[in-house]
Amino acid sequence: MVKRIKDIRRLQEIVNYGRKWHEKSIYNTIGFDENVSRETIRAGICYPTQALWVSETDGVIQGFLLGGLCSFPFSKKNYATDILFCADAEGAKLFSAFQSWAIDQKAILLQMGVTSGIGDPEAIGKFYKINGFSHVGGIYFKELTHERDSKSS
């Protein structure tokens, strides 16, 4: 079952589920700060420009999608984008709930990323294409070190 979360009673459960996905993702070398995660999820529940849905089976969280509205840097019109999307079950239903919300919010574009390094990006891309999306680019990932090059001063 997929439902929108509108209060913080299950906040810790959602954070714990997100932690499991973080451990599997390309971001796992970046420490998981539970307080930052909690605030991100709380914002998704409480901010009027964000929304959060969970999928669950027998009361156990099996996935979530946190999405939000953003304005273009050149227009007053908004687009919707996923902020966090991780699911072991009912990902398509989470996506549908988010898309319906984006339409209700008068977003003119829906943008979805495939950036965690988990799963098959081609299969995920195929799902998006079947749902009317166009592939318009990609994400390039590079870990940065913050040490100064000894040759430059």
Side-chain angles (χ1 to χ4, degrees), residues 27-39:
Y27 304 111
N28 66 10
T29 59
I30 303 167
F32 186 89
D33 186 320
E34 189 162 314
N35 292 325
V36 171
S37 181
R38 190 178 298 110
E39 178 55 27

Side-chain angles (χ1 to χ4, degrees), residues 134-149:
S134 298
H135 187 223
V136 294
I139 299 289
Y140 295 87
F141 180 87
K142 177 183 178 183
E143 287 190 47
L144 300 176
T145 60
H146 294 278
E147 299 170 12
R148 292 199 126 190
D149 185 333

Side-chain angles (χ1 to χ4, degrees), residues 115-129:
T115 62
S116 69
I118 301 171
D120 179 357
E122 289 182 22
I124 297 166
K126 184 177 179 182
F127 171 80
Y128 288 142
K129 285 181 182 179

Side-chain angles (χ1 to χ4, degrees), residues 23-68:
E23 291 169 359
K24 298 186 283 187
S25 79
I26 60 172
Y27 304 111
N28 66 10
T29 59
I30 303 167
F32 186 89
D33 186 320
E34 189 162 314
N35 292 325
V36 171
S37 181
R38 190 178 298 110
E39 178 55 27
T40 300
I41 300 300
R42 190 196 65 72
I45 295 167
C46 299
Y47 288 10
T49 58
Q50 295 184 15
L52 175 74
W53 296 265
V54 297
S55 63
E56 61 182 9
T57 304
D58 298 324
V60 176
I61 292 175
Q62 299 292 318
F64 71 84
L65 193 156
L66 168 60

Side-chain angles (χ1 to χ4, degrees), residues 3 10-11 34 87:
K3 62 182 176 181
R10 298 187 72 188
L11 181 62
E34 189 162 314

Side-chain angles (χ1 to χ4, degrees), residues 101-122:
W101 176 83
I103 291 167
D104 290 346
Q105 300 300 309
K106 309 290 188 239
I108 64 164
L109 184 138
L110 182 56
Q111 177 178 293
M112 302 294 291
V114 182
T115 62
S116 69
I118 301 171
D120 179 357
E122 289 182 22

